[in-house]
Amino acid sequence: MPAIILLRGLPGSGKTTLARLLSENGKYPVTSIDSYFTDAETNEYVFNYKDNHLAYKHCEEQTRAFAEKKTKKIYVDNTFTLEWEMEPYFKIAKEFGYKIFVLTVENRHNGKNKHNVSDEQVKKMADKYKVILM
């Protein structure tokens, strides 16, 4: 059965590194809001909060396109600190018959976030971060 795997965690937790590893050197796609803000030629990351809604939409559209092609595994690498951020992917999974998994990545390796997110902002994100128990 095909699967969409959401990798969630705070900035610096290692989501992107893990996504690359799990994708088996690009055999399976990785979509990310960060890719919207990363220049393809220079690999420079330039975040613009005003465009955040466009980045979310872009990531969802990429995921949907891979699901339409019946890609066996799709990895989505985002913070997903709020429940609503994951909901579009649950809908895509249901629409295209995918199993969905949510993996929480923790910063157990003392990684540094490369996006210049302040410690204060990371703390605010952590305070909103919820683990769903069912």
Side-chain angles (χ1 to χ4, degrees):
M1 173 169 281
I4 294 175
I5 300 96
L6 306 181
L7 295 139
R8 72 186 295 235
L10 297 173
S13 62
K15 299 176 303 296
T16 301
T17 302
L18 180 60
R20 287 183 187 141
L21 178 70
L22 294 173
S23 76
E24 298 179 34
N25 294 320
K27 178 178 178 182
Y28 301 106
V30 176
T31 65
S32 174
I33 289 171
D34 285 348
S35 66
Y36 183 85
F37 296 109
T38 304
D39 184 285
E41 291 180 27
T42 65
N43 207 31
E44 181 182 358
Y45 179 82
V46 181
F47 180 75
N48 181 350
Y49 183 76
K50 292 177 184 176
D51 290 341
N52 215 24
H53 68 287
L54 298 173
Y56 277 95
K57 192 70 175 163
H58 178 72
C59 187
E60 291 169 26
E61 288 170 353
Q62 285 185 313
T63 303
R64 175 176 289 284
F66 287 119
E68 287 172 347
K69 292 179 187 175
K70 301 188 184 329
T71 304
K72 186 176 177 181
K73 295 180 199 173
I74 306 166
Y75 294 94
V76 185
D77 154 28
N78 291 324
T79 55
F80 292 122
T81 55
L82 302 170
E83 186 72 18
W84 69 262
E85 296 171 324
M86 291 185 277
E87 288 181 16
Y89 302 95
F90 283 92
K91 289 177 182 175
I92 291 168
K94 184 176 182 179
E95 181 180 345
F96 293 97
Y98 279 72
K99 275 286 229 197
I100 191 154
F101 298 92
V102 179
L103 301 177
T104 298
V105 182
E106 296 179 352
N107 187 355
R108 304 273 178 141
H109 58 283
N110 295 319
K112 303 293 181 206
N113 88 70
K114 296 188 256 182
H115 306 306
N116 297 320
V117 180
S118 70
D119 290 343
E120 180 182 333
Q121 184 61 29
V122 172
K123 170 79 172 98
K124 286 180 185 178
M125 293 171 79
D127 290 343
K128 293 187 247 178
Y129 196 94
K130 292 186 176 146
V131 175
I132 306 299
L133 301 174
M134 300 208 176

